[in-house]
Amino acid sequence: MKDSTLYVRRITISAVFLSISLVLKTTFSFYIPMFGQNGMSVGISGIFSIMPSLLFGPVYGAVVSGLSDFLGYLLKPVGTYIPLMTLVVAAGGFIRGALWSALRNKDSRKMRIAVAIFSALMLFAGICNIAFLAADGVDSEFYNHVQKENINTDNMHLISKMLIERTLGAKDPSGNLTTYISWVTTAMIGYAALGILLLASDLFLSKKLVHDTSRGRIPQLLIAMIGSGLIVTTLNTIVLCETIFTAWKVLPFAVIWIPRVIEEILGNTVKAYFVALLLGICRKQKTVQEIMDGPSVKLERDPKDS
């Protein structure tokens, strides 16, 4: 198959998925209000805008995701259009395709073991850090009740000593210390929880897709979709806070971000099931498989790992 014909066919299939996504976005989607604004979009159009990035790579994913956001707004305007958010969505499509390209042929068992080990280590480290910081009396108010010249870190645990030494000479030591404490405690436990959710989702979807050819790639699919989704959600939340929803600034970032993250994880887990079914259908079509197996995208037919 000539490269020019291959690209035309890929573009055509991508356009079909884009069209389906736009129809569903304008007819079967709605918003859940958050903090007085339309914060969460709920719908199934994303299932089809996701497909080009998985079938043909990150460039197709970026173009289709960006066009889906831009044209979707033109067809069904909701709120103020922000070009930067379209760029973020396009970047999300690129990241999704890149993650999938890098992970799709990896051994699923090894990936599950790696995620389980990572989650266990993060959970253990987060709990230990909480205990060590509490034992040393290091918290967000530490600098408010201790004179800097009287601080002695010799008898502190390593994590406490590191945080104190790193923030002691900062312009805003209390603010910096609070941020670092969040990273070494809440963030680590959050990463562990995310890993556990990935494993639980993998177990659930693998059982549901017993006879589907995509079953062996569920961990890779979840990482690609949830990973890119979390990046997009985080960046979009920042953009919204800095542009049209400035009232959100009075709230802690985590209060706004966590509900959106939960929605993103749950939504992508559900979408992953239908995406896996669509990928399985595509692999069973000889013509589509030939288009997928082009010079820049080569997939293994049926991986044995499950």
Side-chain angles (χ1 to χ4, degrees), residues 76-112:
K76 187 180 179 181
V78 177
T80 304
Y81 175 69
I82 306 176
L84 185 56
M85 292 187 68
T86 298
L87 294 178
V88 170
V89 172
F94 186 91
I95 294 170
R96 184 190 308 112
L99 286 174
W100 176 248
S101 297
L103 298 175
R104 65 188 169 212
N105 292 326
K106 300 295 183 182
D107 188 289
S108 293
R109 291 190 183 91
K110 292 181 179 179
M111 292 191 65
R112 293 186 184 107

PDB file of all heavy atoms in Angstrom, residues 76-112:
ATOM      1  N   LYS A  76     -22.283  23.645  19.313  1.00  0.00           N
ATOM      2  CA  LYS A  76     -23.051  23.738  20.551  1.00  0.00           C
ATOM      3  C   LYS A  76     -22.299  24.615  21.548  1.00  0.00           C
ATOM      4  O   LYS A  76     -21.631  24.113  22.449  1.00  0.00           O
ATOM      5  CB  LYS A  76     -23.295  22.341  21.137  1.00  0.00           C
ATOM      6  CG  LYS A  76     -24.223  22.318  22.343  1.00  0.00           C
ATOM      7  CD  LYS A  76     -24.412  20.904  22.858  1.00  0.00           C
ATOM      8  CE  LYS A  76     -25.324  20.875  24.074  1.00  0.00           C
ATOM      9  NZ  LYS A  76     -25.500  19.492  24.599  1.00  0.00           N
ATOM     10  N   PRO A  77     -22.377  25.944  21.386  1.00  0.00           N
ATOM     11  CA  PRO A  77     -21.627  26.847  22.277  1.00  0.00           C
ATOM     12  C   PRO A  77     -22.110  26.749  23.720  1.00  0.00           C
ATOM     13  O   PRO A  77     -23.302  26.798  23.990  1.00  0.00           O
ATOM     14  CB  PRO A  77     -21.926  28.235  21.696  1.00  0.00           C
ATOM     15  CG  PRO A  77     -22.431  27.975  20.306  1.00  0.00           C
ATOM     16  CD  PRO A  77     -23.140  26.653  20.364  1.00  0.00           C
ATOM     17  N   VAL A  78     -21.166  26.594  24.620  1.00  0.00           N
ATOM     18  CA  VAL A  78     -21.464  26.586  26.053  1.00  0.00           C
ATOM     19  C   VAL A  78     -20.409  27.439  26.749  1.00  0.00           C
ATOM     20  O   VAL A  78     -19.226  27.099  26.744  1.00  0.00           O
ATOM     21  CB  VAL A  78     -21.453  25.160  26.642  1.00  0.00           C
ATOM     22  CG1 VAL A  78     -21.693  25.211  28.150  1.00  0.00           C
ATOM     23  CG2 VAL A  78     -22.519  24.300  25.975  1.00  0.00           C
ATOM     24  N   GLY A  79     -20.826  28.558  27.325  1.00  0.00           N
ATOM     25  CA  GLY A  79     -19.880  29.425  27.997  1.00  0.00           C
ATOM     26  C   GLY A  79     -18.991  30.170  27.015  1.00  0.00           C
ATOM     27  O   GLY A  79     -19.331  30.384  25.850  1.00  0.00           O
ATOM     28  N   THR A  80     -17.810  30.552  27.494  1.00  0.00           N
ATOM     29  CA  THR A  80     -16.857  31.315  26.698  1.00  0.00           C
ATOM     30  C   THR A  80     -15.844  30.380  26.042  1.00  0.00           C
ATOM     31  O   THR A  80     -15.331  29.477  26.699  1.00  0.00           O
ATOM     32  CB  THR A  80     -16.103  32.329  27.583  1.00  0.00           C
ATOM     33  OG1 THR A  80     -17.063  33.163  28.242  1.00  0.00           O
ATOM     34  CG2 THR A  80     -15.161  33.185  26.750  1.00  0.00           C
ATOM     35  N   TYR A  81     -15.571  30.627  24.771  1.00  0.00           N
ATOM     36  CA  TYR A  81     -14.576  29.791  24.081  1.00  0.00           C
ATOM     37  C   TYR A  81     -13.167  30.264  24.457  1.00  0.00           C
ATOM     38  O   TYR A  81     -12.858  31.463  24.401  1.00  0.00           O
ATOM     39  CB  TYR A  81     -14.747  29.868  22.576  1.00  0.00           C
ATOM     40  CG  TYR A  81     -13.665  29.120  21.831  1.00  0.00           C
ATOM     41  CD1 TYR A  81     -13.610  27.734  21.874  1.00  0.00           C
ATOM     42  CD2 TYR A  81     -12.683  29.802  21.121  1.00  0.00           C
ATOM     43  CE1 TYR A  81     -12.608  27.032  21.213  1.00  0.00           C
ATOM     44  CE2 TYR A  81     -11.677  29.114  20.453  1.00  0.00           C
ATOM     45  CZ  TYR A  81     -11.651  27.724  20.507  1.00  0.00           C
ATOM     46  OH  TYR A  81     -10.648  27.042  19.866  1.00  0.00           O
ATOM     47  N   ILE A  82     -12.317  29.318  24.842  1.00  0.00           N
ATOM     48  CA  ILE A  82     -10.942  29.622  25.230  1.00  0.00           C
ATOM     49  C   ILE A  82     -10.001  28.823  24.320  1.00  0.00           C
ATOM     50  O   ILE A  82      -9.896  27.601  24.458  1.00  0.00           O
ATOM     51  CB  ILE A  82     -10.684  29.246  26.702  1.00  0.00           C
ATOM     52  CG1 ILE A  82     -11.708  29.917  27.613  1.00  0.00           C
ATOM     53  CG2 ILE A  82      -9.266  29.639  27.119  1.00  0.00           C
ATOM     54  CD1 ILE A  82     -11.591  29.515  29.068  1.00  0.00           C
ATOM     55  N   PRO A  83      -9.337  29.487  23.372  1.00  0.00           N
ATOM     56  CA  PRO A  83      -8.439  28.778  22.448  1.00  0.00           C
ATOM     57  C   PRO A  83      -7.378  27.953  23.158  1.00  0.00           C
ATOM     58  O   PRO A  83      -6.999  26.873  22.678  1.00  0.00           O
ATOM     59  CB  PRO A  83      -7.807  29.919  21.642  1.00  0.00           C
ATOM     60  CG  PRO A  83      -8.793  31.038  21.718  1.00  0.00           C
ATOM     61  CD  PRO A  83      -9.403  30.934  23.080  1.00  0.00           C
ATOM     62  N   LEU A  84      -6.902  28.429  24.305  1.00  0.00           N
ATOM     63  CA  LEU A  84      -5.862  27.703  25.038  1.00  0.00           C
ATOM     64  C   LEU A  84      -6.348  26.325  25.466  1.00  0.00           C
ATOM     65  O   LEU A  84      -5.571  25.358  25.482  1.00  0.00           O
ATOM     66  CB  LEU A  84      -5.423  28.510  26.264  1.00  0.00           C
ATOM     67  CG  LEU A  84      -4.249  27.940  27.077  1.00  0.00           C
ATOM     68  CD1 LEU A  84      -3.031  27.737  26.185  1.00  0.00           C
ATOM     69  CD2 LEU A  84      -3.918  28.850  28.249  1.00  0.00           C
ATOM     70  N   MET A  85      -7.622  26.208  25.789  1.00  0.00           N
ATOM     71  CA  MET A  85      -8.157  24.910  26.191  1.00  0.00           C
ATOM     72  C   MET A  85      -8.211  23.944  25.014  1.00  0.00           C
ATOM     73  O   MET A  85      -8.027  22.732  25.180  1.00  0.00           O
ATOM     74  CB  MET A  85      -9.543  25.086  26.819  1.00  0.00           C
ATOM     75  CG  MET A  85      -9.507  25.796  28.157  1.00  0.00           C
ATOM     76  SD  MET A  85     -11.111  25.826  29.003  1.00  0.00           S
ATOM     77  CE  MET A  85     -11.328  24.097  29.412  1.00  0.00           C
ATOM     78  N   THR A  86      -8.462  24.477  23.824  1.00  0.00           N
ATOM     79  CA  THR A  86      -8.422  23.627  22.631  1.00  0.00           C
ATOM     80  C   THR A  86      -7.019  23.090  22.408  1.00  0.00           C
ATOM     81  O   THR A  86      -6.827  21.915  22.056  1.00  0.00           O
ATOM     82  CB  THR A  86      -8.883  24.425  21.394  1.00  0.00           C
ATOM     83  OG1 THR A  86     -10.243  24.843  21.573  1.00  0.00           O
ATOM     84  CG2 THR A  86      -8.797  23.574  20.133  1.00  0.00           C
ATOM     85  N   LEU A  87      -6.011  23.930  22.634  1.00  0.00           N
ATOM     86  CA  LEU A  87      -4.620  23.487  22.506  1.00  0.00           C
ATOM     87  C   LEU A  87      -4.297  22.420  23.548  1.00  0.00           C
ATOM     88  O   LEU A  87      -3.581  21.453  23.259  1.00  0.00           O
ATOM     89  CB  LEU A  87      -3.671  24.673  22.662  1.00  0.00           C
ATOM     90  CG  LEU A  87      -3.730  25.742  21.562  1.00  0.00           C
ATOM     91  CD1 LEU A  87      -2.779  26.886  21.875  1.00  0.00           C
ATOM     92  CD2 LEU A  87      -3.384  25.130  20.199  1.00  0.00           C
ATOM     93  N   VAL A  88      -4.832  22.586  24.762  1.00  0.00           N
ATOM     94  CA  VAL A  88      -4.601  21.594  25.816  1.00  0.00           C
ATOM     95  C   VAL A  88      -5.234  20.259  25.447  1.00  0.00           C
ATOM     96  O   VAL A  88      -4.634  19.195  25.627  1.00  0.00           O
ATOM     97  CB  VAL A  88      -5.165  22.100  27.163  1.00  0.00           C
ATOM     98  CG1 VAL A  88      -5.144  20.988  28.207  1.00  0.00           C
ATOM     99  CG2 VAL A  88      -4.367  23.293  27.665  1.00  0.00           C
ATOM    100  N   VAL A  89      -6.459  20.312  24.906  1.00  0.00           N
ATOM    101  CA  VAL A  89      -7.148  19.087  24.486  1.00  0.00           C
ATOM    102  C   VAL A  89      -6.376  18.396  23.357  1.00  0.00           C
ATOM    103  O   VAL A  89      -6.231  17.174  23.337  1.00  0.00           O
ATOM    104  CB  VAL A  89      -8.588  19.399  24.045  1.00  0.00           C
ATOM    105  CG1 VAL A  89      -9.239  18.170  23.423  1.00  0.00           C
ATOM    106  CG2 VAL A  89      -9.407  19.879  25.236  1.00  0.00           C
ATOM    107  N   ALA A  90      -5.876  19.195  22.408  1.00  0.00           N
ATOM    108  CA  ALA A  90      -5.076  18.640  21.320  1.00  0.00           C
ATOM    109  C   ALA A  90      -3.800  17.996  21.858  1.00  0.00           C
ATOM    110  O   ALA A  90      -3.406  16.900  21.422  1.00  0.00           O
ATOM    111  CB  ALA A  90      -4.731  19.735  20.308  1.00  0.00           C
ATOM    112  N   ALA A  91      -3.168  18.658  22.820  1.00  0.00           N
ATOM    113  CA  ALA A  91      -1.975  18.088  23.447  1.00  0.00           C
ATOM    114  C   ALA A  91      -2.315  16.789  24.152  1.00  0.00           C
ATOM    115  O   ALA A  91      -1.516  15.831  24.137  1.00  0.00           O
ATOM    116  CB  ALA A  91      -1.371  19.083  24.433  1.00  0.00           C
ATOM    117  N   GLY A  92      -3.502  16.732  24.763  1.00  0.00           N
ATOM    118  CA  GLY A  92      -3.936  15.498  25.411  1.00  0.00           C
ATOM    119  C   GLY A  92      -4.069  14.351  24.420  1.00  0.00           C
ATOM    120  O   GLY A  92      -3.697  13.216  24.715  1.00  0.00           O
ATOM    121  N   GLY A  93      -4.608  14.648  23.226  1.00  0.00           N
ATOM    122  CA  GLY A  93      -4.712  13.619  22.189  1.00  0.00           C
ATOM    123  C   GLY A  93      -3.348  13.133  21.742  1.00  0.00           C
ATOM    124  O   GLY A  93      -3.142  11.934  21.489  1.00  0.00           O
ATOM    125  N   PHE A  94      -2.402  14.070  21.652  1.00  0.00           N
ATOM    126  CA  PHE A  94      -1.031  13.691  21.267  1.00  0.00           C
ATOM    127  C   PHE A  94      -0.389  12.817  22.344  1.00  0.00           C
ATOM    128  O   PHE A  94       0.224  11.780  22.038  1.00  0.00           O
ATOM    129  CB  PHE A  94      -0.194  14.948  21.057  1.00  0.00           C
ATOM    130  CG  PHE A  94       1.189  14.667  20.530  1.00  0.00           C
ATOM    131  CD1 PHE A  94       1.425  14.646  19.159  1.00  0.00           C
ATOM    132  CD2 PHE A  94       2.246  14.417  21.392  1.00  0.00           C
ATOM    133  CE1 PHE A  94       2.698  14.377  18.669  1.00  0.00           C
ATOM    134  CE2 PHE A  94       3.518  14.142  20.919  1.00  0.00           C
ATOM    135  CZ  PHE A  94       3.742  14.118  19.545  1.00  0.00           C
ATOM    136  N   ILE A  95      -0.549  13.226  23.607  1.00  0.00           N
ATOM    137  CA  ILE A  95       0.036  12.455  24.710  1.00  0.00           C
ATOM    138  C   ILE A  95      -0.572  11.062  24.788  1.00  0.00           C
ATOM    139  O   ILE A  95       0.122  10.072  25.012  1.00  0.00           O
ATOM    140  CB  ILE A  95      -0.163  13.212  26.044  1.00  0.00           C
ATOM    141  CG1 ILE A  95       0.649  14.507  26.030  1.00  0.00           C
ATOM    142  CG2 ILE A  95       0.244  12.345  27.229  1.00  0.00           C
ATOM    143  CD1 ILE A  95       0.344  15.432  27.190  1.00  0.00           C
ATOM    144  N   ARG A  96      -1.884  10.979  24.590  1.00  0.00           N
ATOM    145  CA  ARG A  96      -2.553   9.682  24.621  1.00  0.00           C
ATOM    146  C   ARG A  96      -1.989   8.749  23.549  1.00  0.00           C
ATOM    147  O   ARG A  96      -1.683   7.582  23.809  1.00  0.00           O
ATOM    148  CB  ARG A  96      -4.055   9.858  24.420  1.00  0.00           C
ATOM    149  CG  ARG A  96      -4.854   8.564  24.536  1.00  0.00           C
ATOM    150  CD  ARG A  96      -6.292   8.760  24.096  1.00  0.00           C
ATOM    151  NE  ARG A  96      -6.921   9.886  24.762  1.00  0.00           N
ATOM    152  CZ  ARG A  96      -7.286  11.008  24.145  1.00  0.00           C
ATOM    153  NH1 ARG A  96      -7.084  11.143  22.838  1.00  0.00           N
ATOM    154  NH2 ARG A  96      -7.853  11.976  24.808  1.00  0.00           N
ATOM    155  N   GLY A  97      -1.861   9.281  22.344  1.00  0.00           N
ATOM    156  CA  GLY A  97      -1.320   8.468  21.261  1.00  0.00           C
ATOM    157  C   GLY A  97       0.120   8.063  21.515  1.00  0.00           C
ATOM    158  O   GLY A  97       0.531   6.934  21.210  1.00  0.00           O
ATOM    159  N   ALA A  98       0.914   8.986  22.079  1.00  0.00           N
ATOM    160  CA  ALA A  98       2.322   8.685  22.363  1.00  0.00           C
ATOM    161  C   ALA A  98       2.444   7.621  23.450  1.00  0.00           C
ATOM    162  O   ALA A  98       3.273   6.695  23.334  1.00  0.00           O
ATOM    163  CB  ALA A  98       3.043   9.960  22.780  1.00  0.00           C
ATOM    164  N   LEU A  99       1.627   7.735  24.504  1.00  0.00           N
ATOM    165  CA  LEU A  99       1.660   6.742  25.570  1.00  0.00           C
ATOM    166  C   LEU A  99       1.248   5.366  25.050  1.00  0.00           C
ATOM    167  O   LEU A  99       1.874   4.351  25.368  1.00  0.00           O
ATOM    168  CB  LEU A  99       0.737   7.158  26.713  1.00  0.00           C
ATOM    169  CG  LEU A  99       1.213   8.304  27.611  1.00  0.00           C
ATOM    170  CD1 LEU A  99       0.112   8.698  28.596  1.00  0.00           C
ATOM    171  CD2 LEU A  99       2.465   7.892  28.366  1.00  0.00           C
ATOM    172  N   TRP A 100       0.199   5.354  24.244  1.00  0.00           N
ATOM    173  CA  TRP A 100      -0.271   4.083  23.695  1.00  0.00           C
ATOM    174  C   TRP A 100       0.774   3.467  22.771  1.00  0.00           C
ATOM    175  O   TRP A 100       1.022   2.257  22.819  1.00  0.00           O
ATOM    176  CB  TRP A 100      -1.583   4.300  22.952  1.00  0.00           C
ATOM    177  CG  TRP A 100      -2.121   3.089  22.254  1.00  0.00           C
ATOM    178  CD1 TRP A 100      -2.231   2.895  20.904  1.00  0.00           C
ATOM    179  CD2 TRP A 100      -2.648   1.897  22.851  1.00  0.00           C
ATOM    180  NE1 TRP A 100      -2.777   1.672  20.625  1.00  0.00           N
ATOM    181  CE2 TRP A 100      -3.043   1.036  21.810  1.00  0.00           C
ATOM    182  CE3 TRP A 100      -2.806   1.479  24.165  1.00  0.00           C
ATOM    183  CZ2 TRP A 100      -3.595  -0.218  22.044  1.00  0.00           C
ATOM    184  CZ3 TRP A 100      -3.360   0.225  24.407  1.00  0.00           C
ATOM    185  CH2 TRP A 100      -3.744  -0.597  23.358  1.00  0.00           C
ATOM    186  N   SER A 101       1.412   4.276  21.951  1.00  0.00           N
ATOM    187  CA  SER A 101       2.449   3.776  21.046  1.00  0.00           C
ATOM    188  C   SER A 101       3.621   3.185  21.828  1.00  0.00           C
ATOM    189  O   SER A 101       4.211   2.185  21.417  1.00  0.00           O
ATOM    190  CB  SER A 101       2.953   4.898  20.130  1.00  0.00           C
ATOM    191  OG  SER A 101       1.912   5.381  19.300  1.00  0.00           O
ATOM    192  N   ALA A 102       3.941   3.810  22.969  1.00  0.00           N
ATOM    193  CA  ALA A 102       5.074   3.347  23.767  1.00  0.00           C
ATOM    194  C   ALA A 102       4.740   2.113  24.596  1.00  0.00           C
ATOM    195  O   ALA A 102       5.631   1.295  24.870  1.00  0.00           O
ATOM    196  CB  ALA A 102       5.545   4.470  24.682  1.00  0.00           C
ATOM    197  N   LEU A 103       3.464   1.954  24.983  1.00  0.00           N
ATOM    198  CA  LEU A 103       3.110   0.906  25.942  1.00  0.00           C
ATOM    199  C   LEU A 103       2.354  -0.277  25.355  1.00  0.00           C
ATOM    200  O   LEU A 103       2.314  -1.338  25.980  1.00  0.00           O
ATOM    201  CB  LEU A 103       2.254   1.510  27.065  1.00  0.00           C
ATOM    202  CG  LEU A 103       2.887   2.601  27.919  1.00  0.00           C
ATOM    203  CD1 LEU A 103       1.852   3.174  28.887  1.00  0.00           C
ATOM    204  CD2 LEU A 103       4.079   2.060  28.683  1.00  0.00           C
ATOM    205  N   ARG A 104       1.769  -0.139  24.168  1.00  0.00           N
ATOM    206  CA  ARG A 104       0.798  -1.128  23.698  1.00  0.00           C
ATOM    207  C   ARG A 104       1.359  -2.539  23.582  1.00  0.00           C
ATOM    208  O   ARG A 104       0.643  -3.532  23.760  1.00  0.00           O
ATOM    209  CB  ARG A 104       0.220  -0.699  22.356  1.00  0.00           C
ATOM    210  CG  ARG A 104       1.249  -0.668  21.250  1.00  0.00           C
ATOM    211  CD  ARG A 104       0.692  -0.062  19.984  1.00  0.00           C
ATOM    212  NE  ARG A 104       1.765   0.170  19.054  1.00  0.00           N
ATOM    213  CZ  ARG A 104       1.790   1.154  18.193  1.00  0.00           C
ATOM    214  NH1 ARG A 104       0.788   1.994  18.175  1.00  0.00           N
ATOM    215  NH2 ARG A 104       2.799   1.304  17.374  1.00  0.00           N
ATOM    216  N   ASN A 105       2.655  -2.673  23.271  1.00  0.00           N
ATOM    217  CA  ASN A 105       3.236  -4.000  23.090  1.00  0.00           C
ATOM    218  C   ASN A 105       4.053  -4.469  24.292  1.00  0.00           C
ATOM    219  O   ASN A 105       4.770  -5.468  24.202  1.00  0.00           O
ATOM    220  CB  ASN A 105       4.111  -4.024  21.830  1.00  0.00           C
ATOM    221  CG  ASN A 105       3.280  -3.892  20.564  1.00  0.00           C
ATOM    222  OD1 ASN A 105       2.156  -4.379  20.499  1.00  0.00           O
ATOM    223  ND2 ASN A 105       3.816  -3.215  19.562  1.00  0.00           N
ATOM    224  N   LYS A 106       3.964  -3.730  25.398  1.00  0.00           N
ATOM    225  CA  LYS A 106       4.654  -4.149  26.609  1.00  0.00           C
ATOM    226  C   LYS A 106       3.917  -5.324  27.245  1.00  0.00           C
ATOM    227  O   LYS A 106       2.717  -5.510  27.065  1.00  0.00           O
ATOM    228  CB  LYS A 106       4.733  -2.987  27.615  1.00  0.00           C
ATOM    229  CG  LYS A 106       5.478  -1.755  27.101  1.00  0.00           C
ATOM    230  CD  LYS A 106       6.939  -2.048  26.849  1.00  0.00           C
ATOM    231  CE  LYS A 106       7.670  -0.779  26.412  1.00  0.00           C
ATOM    232  NZ  LYS A 106       9.096  -1.022  26.115  1.00  0.00           N
ATOM    233  N   ASP A 107       4.659  -6.112  28.016  1.00  0.00           N
ATOM    234  CA  ASP A 107       4.077  -7.266  28.695  1.00  0.00           C
ATOM    235  C   ASP A 107       3.106  -6.790  29.779  1.00  0.00           C
ATOM    236  O   ASP A 107       3.492  -6.067  30.693  1.00  0.00           O
ATOM    237  CB  ASP A 107       5.191  -8.108  29.320  1.00  0.00           C
ATOM    238  CG  ASP A 107       4.660  -9.419  29.878  1.00  0.00           C
ATOM    239  OD1 ASP A 107       3.950  -9.381  30.905  1.00  0.00           O
ATOM    240  OD2 ASP A 107       4.950 -10.481  29.281  1.00  0.00           O
ATOM    241  N   SER A 108       1.858  -7.206  29.685  1.00  0.00           N
ATOM    242  CA  SER A 108       0.821  -6.737  30.607  1.00  0.00           C
ATOM    243  C   SER A 108       1.076  -7.208  32.032  1.00  0.00           C
ATOM    244  O   SER A 108       0.833  -6.464  32.993  1.00  0.00           O
ATOM    245  CB  SER A 108      -0.560  -7.214  30.151  1.00  0.00           C
ATOM    246  OG  SER A 108      -0.923  -6.603  28.936  1.00  0.00           O
ATOM    247  N   ARG A 109       1.547  -8.450  32.193  1.00  0.00           N
ATOM    248  CA  ARG A 109       1.807  -8.958  33.548  1.00  0.00           C
ATOM    249  C   ARG A 109       2.879  -8.125  34.242  1.00  0.00           C
ATOM    250  O   ARG A 109       2.751  -7.773  35.420  1.00  0.00           O
ATOM    251  CB  ARG A 109       2.242 -10.423  33.480  1.00  0.00           C
ATOM    252  CG  ARG A 109       1.140 -11.389  33.062  1.00  0.00           C
ATOM    253  CD  ARG A 109       1.590 -12.822  33.266  1.00  0.00           C
ATOM    254  NE  ARG A 109       0.589 -13.773  32.815  1.00  0.00           N
ATOM    255  CZ  ARG A 109       0.517 -14.278  31.596  1.00  0.00           C
ATOM    256  NH1 ARG A 109       1.405 -13.890  30.686  1.00  0.00           N
ATOM    257  NH2 ARG A 109      -0.421 -15.135  31.258  1.00  0.00           N
ATOM    258  N   LYS A 110       3.944  -7.820  33.519  1.00  0.00           N
ATOM    259  CA  LYS A 110       5.019  -7.018  34.101  1.00  0.00           C
ATOM    260  C   LYS A 110       4.534  -5.616  34.452  1.00  0.00           C
ATOM    261  O   LYS A 110       4.941  -5.048  35.467  1.00  0.00           O
ATOM    262  CB  LYS A 110       6.196  -6.937  33.129  1.00  0.00           C
ATOM    263  CG  LYS A 110       6.919  -8.263  32.925  1.00  0.00           C
ATOM    264  CD  LYS A 110       8.088  -8.114  31.965  1.00  0.00           C
ATOM    265  CE  LYS A 110       8.819  -9.445  31.781  1.00  0.00           C
ATOM    266  NZ  LYS A 110       9.945  -9.315  30.812  1.00  0.00           N
ATOM    267  N   MET A 111       3.657  -5.070  33.616  1.00  0.00           N
ATOM    268  CA  MET A 111       3.117  -3.738  33.898  1.00  0.00           C
ATOM    269  C   MET A 111       2.252  -3.757  35.151  1.00  0.00           C
ATOM    270  O   MET A 111       2.315  -2.843  35.978  1.00  0.00           O
ATOM    271  CB  MET A 111       2.313  -3.222  32.705  1.00  0.00           C
ATOM    272  CG  MET A 111       3.152  -2.914  31.487  1.00  0.00           C
ATOM    273  SD  MET A 111       2.229  -2.028  30.225  1.00  0.00           S
ATOM    274  CE  MET A 111       1.892  -0.506  31.069  1.00  0.00           C
ATOM    275  N   ARG A 112       1.438  -4.813  35.319  1.00  0.00           N
ATOM    276  CA  ARG A 112       0.610  -4.911  36.520  1.00  0.00           C
ATOM    277  C   ARG A 112       1.483  -5.026  37.771  1.00  0.00           C
ATOM    278  O   ARG A 112       1.199  -4.405  38.798  1.00  0.00           O
ATOM    279  CB  ARG A 112      -0.316  -6.124  36.408  1.00  0.00           C
ATOM    280  CG  ARG A 112      -1.369  -5.996  35.327  1.00  0.00           C
ATOM    281  CD  ARG A 112      -2.330  -7.172  35.367  1.00  0.00           C
ATOM    282  NE  ARG A 112      -3.286  -7.103  34.283  1.00  0.00           N
ATOM    283  CZ  ARG A 112      -3.270  -7.888  33.202  1.00  0.00           C
ATOM    284  NH1 ARG A 112      -2.320  -8.812  33.073  1.00  0.00           N
ATOM    285  NH2 ARG A 112      -4.180  -7.752  32.266  1.00  0.00           N
TER     286      ARG A 112
END
